[in-house]
Amino acid sequence: MATERYNAPQREKHWQAVWETARKNQSGPDTGTENQGPKCYVLEMFPYPSGRIHMGHVRNYTMGDVFARYKKARGFNVLHPMGWDAFGMPAENAAIERNTHPGTWTYANIDAMKAQLKSLGFALDWDRELATCSPDYYRHQQKLFLDLLEKGLAYRKSAKVNWDPVDMTVLANEQVIDGRGWRSGALVEQRELTQWFFKITHYAEELLEALATLDKWPEKVRLMQANWIGRSDGLLVRWSLQNGTAPEGHKELQVYTTRPDTLFGASFMAVASDHPLAKAAAEKNPQLQAFCEECRRLGTSVADLETAEKKGFDTGIRAVHPLDADWTLPVYVANFVLMDYGTGAIFACPSGDQRDLDFARKYDLPVVPVILPPGADKDSFEITNEAYDGDGTMINSRFLDGLDTNAAFEEVASRLEKAKLDGKPVGERKVNFRLRDWGISRQRYWGCPIPIIHCETCGAMPVPEKDLPVKLPEDASFDKPGNPLERHPTWKNVDCPKCGKPARRETDTMDTFVDSSWYYARFTNPKAGVPIDKDAAAYWLPVDQYIGGIEHAILHLLYSRFFFRAISDSGHPVKNLREPFAALFTQGMVTHETYFQHDAEKKRVWFEPDKVRFEGDGKDRKAVTIDGGQPIEIGDIVKMSKSKKNVVDPDDIIAHYGADCARWFMLSDSPPERDVQWTDEGIAAAGRFIQRIWRLIDDAADKAAPVGEKPPSTFSPEAEALRRATHKALDQVGRNIEGLRFNVAVAQLYELSNAFSGALSKSGDGLAWTIRETAEIIVQMLAPMMPHLAEECWARLGYNTLVSKQPWPCADPGLLVDDTVTVAVQVNGKRRDELTIAASASNEEVEAAALNLDSVQRALDGRKPKKVIVVPKRIVNVVG
RNA sequence: GCGGACGUGGUGGAACCGGUAGACACACGGGACUUAAAAUCCCGAGGCUUAACCGCCGUGCGGGUUCGAGUCCCGCCGUCCGCACCA
């Protein structure tokens, strides 16, 4: 009887309905009851509800689902929730374009995407679903904000901010990429605005130190965060200003340096154009005034800053060298000195810093080498156009001469700590961080309102807790650019909660990264009346496996690490936990070839993959249009994106091949952390494998021993071999899923299927029993990856239970070790032969057998072996 | 410029702690089944040499350590990513 093809799309709907009925996609109430085992919290980064799932989501959520289902089968009590990162710009843009409300658009998208996720068969706990745009969620976020405010971890200040002129909003430093807004791509400008900030710098040291404890995070992400936090160890040094050269009231200049060892190489001082000393000096100097203005204008865009030539202006002020009262240096205003790092002032050592050197050459200032690189000759060493900023031996540095760089640092630091200027130490050790406080104000409607009321008398007053949530008004207008909350006729008019006088609401909303900084904690009990249910969070946190894109290496992950600490320290601690994500995995992107033609202006016009037909293969492979047969160029393989039209819609794939096929393909071939290339051949191969498994199991079901039959007492060699292959694969597949090496697990399942298919045509003692054993183990191993197919196969094998409810099978340790082993035989390190021998053979026996081989004798060519190395069960190397 | 990762057949990739390089899959070639095709099944395949065996070469390039190196060390080359006036 010919086997019917497995109709994946149809059967998948069936099994999804069965699961729904069985309520199997539940992790149970708050502390979980489904499994008695230890808890395991599996989380994938929740999606922005853009309207449709893309292949990147499919890959991300498939990995999480395989891991979650596997852990469940291993007896863990698993939490695997899903929600929506639902605030943000696109909803507002959609509102403008379609004349709908952002909420309407967002919730319609959520419905559509939820249906898509369900059609992929993910074992998600939908009872815990949350959307950050719901007042049920953001009311708690407002409470968290108020608690941070009370602790001084949220505050308001006027600051230069990154202004995105397209999105018309403020961006955090982390959200500016190559001088452009991370979402809009517009050139970012600098503007002075009063904004709300979170004091992430308060945790700079801790966030950096704790990276060392995150041993289940990728090294790469930890390094990126460490660089971002940017700790430097240095010295604050106070330089006195020479009498008569400095403006009234300016007696000293404080600089920050990480290289006090180079102090004798100092050649000038430089301050930022908005440094108080620069401003004071400019008052009486119109030319300097003009120069400062120029610097400020230049600084309007980050891109300009990066390309600007180094320029300076001599203020005429002179600073006294802290180690030599007779030595004075000129003070410049320089465009490359930043006011918001260190003290906004530096001393410059041109021989040891490229910027200082460029500046010194331009203005003809002295360049004195003070550090001799290791191996360089003292007499001939000189600095020409390249500064030397490495370590070495001190020269031209008086009492430091001969010391190494580190010793010189210490010597200068301790001298200056003891030295006094106006009764206070000249030098003070200081650790500086690159990290800045997180500006969270956004001039947008579709975000969490900041619960503050501004009163002319009382200032910025927190909204009383009883008045939370501060809800967004439904009737906002989106017809103009700018903030709809700002121009709403009534919403912002409220009375001051303290004095009762008319006041106005804060119209800024929070950066959406705040929303995603604590959602993982909310998932542990999303219906709690407080932001975080302490018991539920204590049970479930930390997240045991977090999975998402590398693009969040800094932004989301650093903010979450900070926010979790900040809320812990302001009344919402979860045990003593400081880190929310115990293990992190960053998956690669889904890529696809691109196809294009050039238009009349030489611009590329992109083609969807299904508009392209191919002719030939290998080097002769050509693309043509599907209708006209006109030539098309084949472009790079890049991340799927709408703009390049190289996207494949998951819905189309599910409808054609089924969800299991899409899932299987996303797990195959490429290591999960690397990019995977979507190809038609690849998805077709996955589809073939599904049919193959179905045929194999169908065939096996006919040949297998009945369910529950006792194991036979003897096994034929064929049966024995199949059992060994099966149990080895079981052992390996488990390990590889555990280690998220899905591509390797997939290969092992292919391999076992090949062996199984060969064994099905054989007969022998115990084979029928072994066929059942292997068939069941294959199905159970496939279950986390292709859950629908696995259920179908499980039923075909005679069960009316669900395979997704079965415990993970146990590999028989006795079948993992072989009686005989094949070892390679080398002569002088070159492989000459192989030897099959009892695993229990002694080294002497192996050696004798190896020397006995013709091939070994031939290779030795009459020489006596000098030495024989035997590595048990692996290799024999004859040296002769 | 600084920091990091990576480099294996025609392709994606595998190889535990230094121990048979190329598992598995794609593409390709040959065969079976078929009137034919699709589907399926079987076989082949790193390169050079050879009728075949044998042999030689082979994990970006050059050196080194080792009985033995894709794996460790040093120096190059290339690709990708992150950061970038941070004093």
Side-chain angles (χ1 to χ4, degrees), chain A residues 820-838:
Chain A
T820 60
V821 290
T822 303
V823 298
V825 180
Q826 296 181 332
V827 176
N828 293 331
K830 270 192 182 162
R831 183 181 174 279
R832 293 293 169 183
D833 208 338
E834 59 184 33
L835 183 64
T836 302
I837 195 162

Side-chain angles (χ1 to χ4, degrees), chain A residues 357-377:
Chain A
L357 183 62
D358 293 345
F359 193 91
R361 293 292 185 224
K362 187 175 165 99
Y363 294 102
D364 204 20
L365 294 155
V367 177
V368 181
V370 285
I371 292 171
L372 187 68
D377 178 44

Side-chain angles (χ1 to χ4, degrees), chain A residues 635-656:
Chain A
D636 293 339
I637 298 160
V638 296
K639 179 184 180 175
M640 284 188 181
S641 74
K642 278 181 196 152
S643 63
K644 296 217 166 82
K645 295 194 175 174
N646 60 338
V647 288
V648 175
D649 188 340
D651 271 359
D652 294 345
I653 299 301
I654 294 167
H656 190 112

